[in-house]
Amino acid sequence: MSASSSARRIREQAGDTDSSKSSSRPSKRIRTGDELAASVSPNTARSTTGVGAESGDTGGAVEPIPVPTPAERACRPESGLAASLPHIEEAAEPEPAAAAAHGPYTSSLYTDAFELALDTVLAEESHLFDEAEAEIFQRFRSLPYEARYLYVRLFLRKSGAWFRTSKFSYQSNISDIPAACELLCSPDIALAQQASDAVITLDEAANLLTLEELRPIAKDDQVNCSNKAQIISALKAKATTQGRLRVGQTGLLGFGFGGEGQEEKKYINRLLDIAGPCIRLNSDAASLFHKVHLVFYRSTEYTESSLTTLILARTTQHKYPHYIVSRTSNIFASRAVLVEFEEAIKLQAKVDLLLEQSGAPTPESLQQVLDIAEGVWPRWKELVEQERAKVKTVTSSFGDGVEVLVERIYLRRFSPAWVFTRILHKGLLSLARAKNYIREHLLLTELLSQKFYHTARRGAWYQRKALLEERYHSFLPTPPDVTLRTENEKKRYWHKKALETCCAGLEDPLTHITFHLDLQKRLKKIEQSHLKIPHRQQHDFSHLSLLRPTTTRTFTGDRVSPCTLGRKTIWRHPYPPTGDENSTCSVEEMCLSRYKNELGWEGFHSESTIILTLFAHLFYDILFLYVPNVFETEYQTCPLDLFTEAFYPTRASEINHRLVEIENGKAREIIEGVWDREGERKPHVVGLDWNLDKQTLCDIVQCFPGQGLAMICKVLCQEYQQRSRGIPDLFLWSVERKECMFAEVKSENDRLSDAQRLWIHVLSTAGIKTELCLAVAAKEEEEAQVKKEKAVAWKVEQVKDEDVDVDDKELGRISA
C-alpha cells in the first residue's frame, strides 16, 4: 500500500466515529470537534474577534474554537488533572498485541496532555490568538489520532531538528508511520515538512547519520577523524574547498573552488540518500503551540520542554498539592501584550545563557548583553509610564491611601516590563565591567525612579548608586544647573549626593532591612571621612545594633586542601563513619561531626532546609488557601504572591491564628496532621524536604520554644523571598535537653554576611541559641601560637629594657 493511499485511509478512520464507539475502551476516545461544539451550552459560548473566523462571518465577530467548558469539567466527580485525563491505569499504553485486539488507539498520555493545555487556554483566552493561528488549531484538530500522536511526540523532541522516519519507534501507536508523516506534511495541513521539500544544510544532513554511517564516507574522501564532530567538520571543509577543473570563457582550463555550492549539494544528497525520508515540524506552528503552553502554565521563563511538567504529573512522578485553581482570563490584556511578553522572556533566556555559560562571561558576551539591554531600555520606559498612569487612575478612584490593587503586585510579573527590568538589571554588570559609569549611574537612577517592578532589588541599586557617587565621582558629569569651580567642590558635591542616596535607601519602605547595614556603614563613612560633619550632626544607628552570636567556638582540624578564594576547603574527617582514616569532608561536615561526637548534639548541615521545611508543614493549609488569582495552574508549588509583600496582609487573620497555635505548643500536632494527609503523596511544595521523616520533625519542633518558632514563622510570612537565605549552616538539637541551636561555620579570611547577621539577630531575639563556629587548621594554629609567643616575649623584653619595675602579676597580664 502506498503512503498516499495510507494517508487517505487514516483520514477516513478519523471520520469513522461509529467504529470508535464500538471499541472495547470507550473511555480513551477523544471527542471530535463537532461533539465538543455540541457540548458547549448557549450560555457559555461567546463570540470573540480574531479567532476561528469563517469566510462567511460578518462584522468581524467570529465563533470561538469549540472546547470543553469549565461548567462541563466542574460536573465531573474529580477535580484537577485527574478529572481531565483518564486514570493512570487506563492511560498506560498496552503492548502492540493488545492494541491489535482492541483496535486503533484513540487516546494517549502525550496527546491528552497536549490537548488539555490547548482546550484550557482556548476555553477562556482565545482572544489572545488571531485568525491565522486559529486556523492552525483547526488543522491540528482535524487530524486523526495517529497523526496527532506523531506531531506531539515530535513536538516534545528537539525544536527545529530533522528526524529520520526510519528511526521512529511509535509502531505501537501508529500503524502506518509514512502515511502519518505525509499527512502532516500535506499542503492543506502544513504542520511539518519533508527534507525533499526544504533547504537543508550540510551540517543538518550530517548530524542525521550515526558515526558508523559517516565513517565509510570519511574513508572514501580520505578523511582521518575519530569522532563525529571531527568528521562533519572535515566534510564541510572539503565541500567548500574542493577544487575542480573547468573551461573558462577564453576556452582555457581553469581551477575553481566550490563550484557555486555544487560540491556541497553533492555531499548533502549523498547523506540524505543514506538517511532516507526525514521530517521536521513547521517552526511557525511549533512556536504557536509553545505560546499556548506559555499561557497555560503562566510561565515567566522561556522553555521548549513545556509539556514536561504536565506529563510528569500525569505519570505520578511529580505530584502537586490540592487547591482551587482560579485562572485569570485577562492576565494578558491583549494578544499584543502576550506577543511582547513572549519575545521578552526569549531575550531574557538569551541573556541568562550568555552570563551563565561555563567560566566568567567573556567581553563579547557582556557586549551582547549590553546591546540587548540598550535595545529594551526605551520600550521599558514607555511601559513604566503606562503602569504609572494605571496606578494614578486607581489612586484617584480609591483615594490617596490606596496606591494599587493588591492583585497587581504579583500579577505584574506577567508584564513585559517585569522581564525588561530584569534584563536591565543584568545589563548593569556589563556597564560596570566596561567602566561605563555615566551610563550605569543613569540606568540606576531610572530603575530607582519606578516602584513597580523587581522592588526586592532596590536595596542593591541604592548600594551601587551610592558607591559610584562616592568612589567614581570623577567620571560622572556635573549637572548643567550646578556650577563647580574646583575639583574639591565637585568631589564634595558628589559625596553629598552619595549621602542623599544612602538616606533615600534607608527611608525607602521597599528597601529590605538586609541592605540597611551596608547603607548605614557607607553613610557613616561619608559623614566622618569625606564631609567631616560634626559628631553631633552625624546619624546615630547605635540603637539599631544587631545581636551577636551567643558564643564563639573554635574547632581545630586537618585541612587537606589549600585555602583558595572562592573555593570550598576539604578537611580530614575527624570521626570517619567508614573507619577510613583518609576520609575527607567539607568544613561544615567536620564541625558537625565534632558537635555530634564531642558535645552530644544531633544535627544537620541544613542551612535553610530545616526552617523552610518546618514553615511549609506548619502553614501548609494556609499556603494553599483559596485566594483569587494566586493559583493559575494545577502545577504550582506555592501561591503566586508568596514572594511578594501581599502574602501576609491577604491572609493576616489565618496567619495570626496559626501563630497563636504555635506559641501554645501545637506545632507537633500540626506537623503530624500534615504528614497523615500528605505523607504518602509527598507533593512538591516550595521549601519542603520530604526526606526529613515525621518523627525527626516532631523531635525537632519539640526543641523549639513556642514563641521563638512563631517569631521565625512570622518573619517568613512577611518576607519569604528575602529571608530564605542567610540562615546558619548547622542546625543542632538535643531531645534529652529539649534544646536546639544554630551554628554558622566560618574558616579563616571569612566573615558574616549582612543576611547571616540578620538571621543571627532574629534567632537570638527569639530566644534560640546561636554560635559562631571557627574552623582552624592545626598547622596554622601552631604557627599562630608561635607568633603570639614571640610577640609576648618581645613585649616583655621591651618592658625590661625600659628599666621599669614590673612585678610578676603585671608580666602575666602582658603575656595574656
Side-chain angles (χ1 to χ4, degrees):
M1 181 182 296
S2 65
S4 58
S5 61
S6 299
R8 288 194 299 271
R9 179 179 59 80
I10 294 180
R11 290 178 187 270
E12 294 170 357
Q13 289 179 356
D16 187 8
T17 58
D18 295 336
S19 61
S20 298
K21 291 179 181 178
S22 62
S23 173
S24 61
R25 293 176 284 110
S27 62
K28 288 193 175 184
R29 192 179 65 81
I30 296 179
R31 293 178 296 174
T32 63
D34 294 337
E35 292 174 313
L36 290 172
S39 67
V40 179
S41 63
N43 295 330
T44 56
R46 57 186 175 88
S47 297
T48 56
T49 58
V51 182
E54 301 293 341
S55 58
D57 290 341
T58 59
V62 295
E63 292 297 325
I65 297 175
V67 295
T69 64
E72 182 183 13
R73 291 195 180 99
C75 295
R76 296 175 179 173
E78 298 180 347
S79 62
L81 184 62
S84 304
L85 298 177
H87 291 290
I88 185 66
E89 294 81 9
E90 297 175 349
E93 297 170 4
E95 298 296 328
H102 292 287
Y105 273 93
T106 55
S107 179
S108 161
L109 169 67
Y110 303 99
T111 55
D112 284 346
F114 190 90
E115 292 173 354
L116 172 63
L118 183 61
D119 291 348
T120 304
V121 170
L122 296 182
E124 295 294 338
E125 298 171 277
S126 57
H127 62 281
L128 299 175
F129 305 94
D130 60 18
E131 295 183 12
E133 293 169 336
E135 182 184 355
I136 294 176
F137 296 145
Q138 293 286 16
R139 275 187 269 155
F140 174 79
R141 290 181 182 280
S142 68
L143 291 173
Y145 165 74
E146 293 188 358
R148 293 201 313 275
Y149 178 87
L150 178 60
Y151 183 87
V152 174
R153 293 306 300 265
L154 296 180
F155 181 83
L156 290 170
R157 300 175 71 171
K158 185 178 179 180
S159 178
W162 288 96
F163 304 102
R164 299 168 64 176
T165 60
S166 60
K167 298 293 184 179
F168 290 161
S169 57
Y170 308 139
Q171 287 79 6
S172 60
N173 285 81
I174 305 176
S175 59
D176 194 335
I177 292 178
C181 292
E182 182 181 346
L183 186 55
L184 288 177
C185 299
S186 60
D188 55 336
I189 300 298
L191 293 179
Q193 58 182 157
Q194 295 177 337
S196 56
D197 301 327
V199 177
I200 185 171
T201 65
L202 177 59
D203 208 3
E204 292 173 332
N207 276 296
L208 287 168
L209 304 186
T210 63
L211 178 61
E212 289 71 19
E213 291 171 327
L214 285 173
R215 277 175 176 164
I217 300 177
K219 184 177 180 180
D220 293 343
D221 289 354
Q222 298 180 351
V223 174
N224 186 17
C225 298
S226 58
N227 57 52
K228 185 175 179 179
Q230 292 176 351
I231 293 177
I232 294 175
S233 178
L235 292 178
K236 289 168 64 177
K238 290 184 69 68
T240 54
T241 59
Q242 183 73 44
R244 65 189 183 91
L245 291 173
R246 57 184 177 184
V247 180
Q249 294 180 351
T250 60
L252 299 176
L253 288 177
F255 192 75
F257 292 93
E260 297 180 356
Q262 294 301 318
E263 293 297 327
E264 184 175 354
K265 291 180 181 178
K266 289 180 181 180
Y267 272 110
I268 293 174
N269 292 333
R270 185 178 177 186
L271 294 170
L272 290 180
D273 288 341
I274 300 174
C278 301
I279 188 174
R280 179 175 66 181
L281 295 186
N282 183 297
S283 59
D284 293 336
S287 298
L288 173 59
F289 286 114
H290 280 302
K291 187 187 301 181
V292 170
H293 294 156
L294 183 152
V295 177
F296 177 73
Y297 291 108
R298 303 295 197 240
S299 303
T300 56
E301 296 181 358
Y302 183 74
T303 176
E304 293 183 349
S305 56
S306 50
L307 272 181
T308 305
T309 301
L310 198 154
I311 291 175
L312 290 175
R314 184 62 191 92
T315 57
T316 70
Q317 295 184 33
H318 282 186
K319 299 176 183 178
Y320 293 87
H322 295 302
Y323 49 79
I324 299 175
V325 177
S326 175
R327 291 182 69 87
T328 308
S329 60
N330 61 343
I331 197 168
F332 298 105
S334 64
R335 181 179 183 276
V337 174
L338 172 61
V339 172
E340 187 174 17
F341 179 76
E342 183 185 24
E343 293 302 319
I345 62 175
K346 287 181 179 179
L347 285 176
Q348 176 183 259
K350 183 177 180 180
V351 168
D352 291 340
L353 183 63
L354 290 170
L355 294 179
E356 295 173 5
Q357 56 190 355
S358 58
T362 62
E364 293 77 14
S365 299
L366 292 172
Q367 184 59 45
Q368 292 183 53
V369 172
L370 182 57
D371 293 341
I372 294 174
E374 292 284 358
V376 304
W377 195 343
R379 177 57 181 163
W380 173 81
K381 291 194 286 188
E382 295 176 7
L383 294 173
V384 168
E385 289 302 320
Q386 294 176 12
E387 183 66 20
R388 187 173 284 115
K390 292 178 184 177
V391 172
K392 186 177 180 180
T393 301
V394 174
T395 303
S396 61
S397 301
F398 291 90
D400 295 337
V402 180
E403 178 186 348
V404 68
L405 295 176
V406 175
E407 296 85 56
R408 293 198 63 80
I409 295 176
Y410 50 87
L411 293 182
R412 282 178 182 145
R413 69 184 62 196
F414 300 107
S415 163
W418 180 277
V419 186
F420 289 156
T421 305
R422 186 172 183 271
I423 293 175
L424 292 175
H425 176 75
K426 298 288 186 180
L428 291 172
L429 173 64
S430 299
L431 290 170
R433 294 284 182 88
K435 298 184 179 181
N436 191 346
Y437 301 125
I438 298 177
R439 196 69 172 163
E440 184 184 6
H441 186 268
L442 177 60
L443 178 55
L444 286 168
T445 303
E446 294 200 0
L447 286 171
L448 287 169
S449 67
Q450 57 85 29
K451 298 182 179 181
F452 312 122
Y453 307 108
H454 288 276
T455 56
R457 302 182 187 273
R458 293 181 66 81
W461 296 337
Y462 278 117
Q463 285 179 334
R464 182 62 184 176
K465 184 171 181 286
L467 175 67
L468 292 177
E469 293 166 345
E470 180 198 356
R471 294 188 182 179
Y472 302 104
H473 48 77
S474 59
F475 297 94
L476 303 179
T478 304
D481 56 341
V482 178
T483 302
L484 302 175
R485 297 182 178 85
T486 65
E487 186 65 26
N488 286 335
E489 287 182 357
K490 180 179 180 181
K491 183 185 297 185
R492 187 171 182 82
Y493 169 81
W494 281 112
H495 283 159
K496 288 182 177 180
K497 283 294 183 182
L499 183 67
E500 293 174 4
T501 300
C502 293
C503 292
L506 293 171
E507 295 171 359
D508 190 343
L510 297 177
T511 301
H512 189 260
I513 192 174
T514 306
F515 302 100
H516 282 204
L517 299 176
D518 182 79
L519 291 173
Q520 290 169 7
K521 288 186 291 186
R522 189 172 301 281
L523 189 150
K524 294 290 291 184
K525 176 184 175 183
I526 294 172
E527 289 181 334
Q528 295 173 1
S529 303
H530 299 312
L531 299 179
K532 309 294 184 182
I533 296 176
H535 181 74
R536 65 180 181 276
Q537 297 180 7
Q538 295 177 12
H539 288 80
D540 182 13
F541 301 110
S542 58
H543 62 289
L544 299 176
S545 59
L546 301 178
L547 295 178
R548 299 191 176 188
T550 311
T551 57
T552 300
R553 188 182 302 275
T554 301
F555 283 134
T556 303
D558 185 8
R559 193 181 64 210
V560 298
S561 68
C563 186
T564 306
L565 184 64
R567 292 187 178 183
K568 296 187 74 67
T569 55
I570 301 175
W571 299 67
R572 197 174 307 281
H573 205 300
Y575 299 94
T578 59
D580 183 6
E581 295 182 354
N582 295 322
S583 177
T584 59
C585 60
S586 65
V587 62
E588 293 86 1
E589 292 171 344
M590 185 272 289
C591 294
L592 179 60
S593 179
R594 301 285 293 273
Y595 273 114
K596 286 183 176 181
N597 292 277
E598 297 177 9
L599 301 175
W601 291 94
E602 292 294 326
F604 293 120
H605 172 210
S606 59
E607 297 184 355
S608 62
T609 303
I610 291 291
I611 293 294
L612 298 185
T613 297
L614 288 176
F615 176 80
H617 277 90
L618 294 172
F619 287 81
Y620 190 96
D621 53 340
I622 297 176
L623 282 171
F624 301 102
L625 181 71
Y626 172 72
V627 174
N629 306 324
V630 301
F631 293 111
E632 294 284 337
T633 72
E634 299 172 353
Y635 315 104
Q636 294 179 210
T637 61
C638 65
L640 291 178
D641 62 343
L642 177 62
F643 299 99
T644 71
E645 60 270 26
F647 178 80
Y648 180 78
T650 307
R651 306 161 181 83
S653 177
E654 293 82 1
I655 290 174
N656 291 333
H657 180 72
R658 179 57 48 83
L659 293 175
V660 172
E661 291 181 335
I662 295 172
E663 288 184 12
N664 293 334
K666 294 186 177 181
R668 179 181 183 126
E669 179 182 341
I670 297 171
I671 290 176
E672 289 176 343
V674 172
W675 257 95
D676 293 341
R677 293 193 311 270
E678 309 293 342
E680 184 177 355
R681 291 184 66 246
K682 293 182 174 56
H684 284 245
V685 179
V686 62
L688 197 155
D689 185 359
W690 289 105
N691 293 321
L692 297 170
D693 60 83
K694 175 181 177 181
Q695 187 58 47
T696 301
L697 288 175
C698 290
D699 291 343
I700 288 174
V701 81
Q702 290 291 98
C703 297
F704 274 93
Q707 188 175 4
L709 183 58
M711 182 182 295
I712 293 172
C713 291
K714 186 173 183 179
V715 168
L716 289 173
C717 287
Q718 294 174 332
E719 301 171 331
Y720 191 93
Q721 181 179 17
Q722 295 85 356
R723 297 301 188 124
S724 297
R725 58 183 182 273
I727 302 175
D729 297 315
L730 306 181
F731 175 74
L732 308 163
W733 79 94
S734 172
V735 178
E736 293 78 9
R737 299 192 297 268
K738 297 293 182 182
E739 183 184 6
C740 66
M741 180 177 68
F742 288 86
E744 178 64 36
V745 178
K746 293 296 177 185
S747 56
E748 56 269 35
N749 303 324
D750 200 359
R751 64 184 182 89
L752 292 172
S753 67
D754 289 344
Q756 291 168 345
R757 292 177 62 193
L758 278 171
W759 260 112
I760 290 174
H761 175 79
V762 170
L763 294 170
S764 300
T765 305
I768 300 172
K769 186 178 179 181
T770 59
E771 278 194 359
L772 179 60
C773 180
L774 303 179
V776 179
K779 184 177 180 181
E780 294 179 358
E781 186 183 34
E782 294 176 0
E783 294 175 354
Q785 184 64 27
V786 171
K787 290 181 180 179
K788 182 179 179 181
E789 292 175 356
K790 290 182 178 179
V792 170
W794 178 83
K795 183 67 175 178
V796 172
E797 290 297 327
Q798 289 293 106
V799 172
K800 291 181 178 180
D801 290 344
E802 293 176 2
D803 197 17
V804 179
D805 187 15
V806 181
D807 56 12
D808 294 338
K809 184 177 181 180
E810 182 65 16
L811 284 175
R813 188 188 64 79
I814 294 173
S815 301

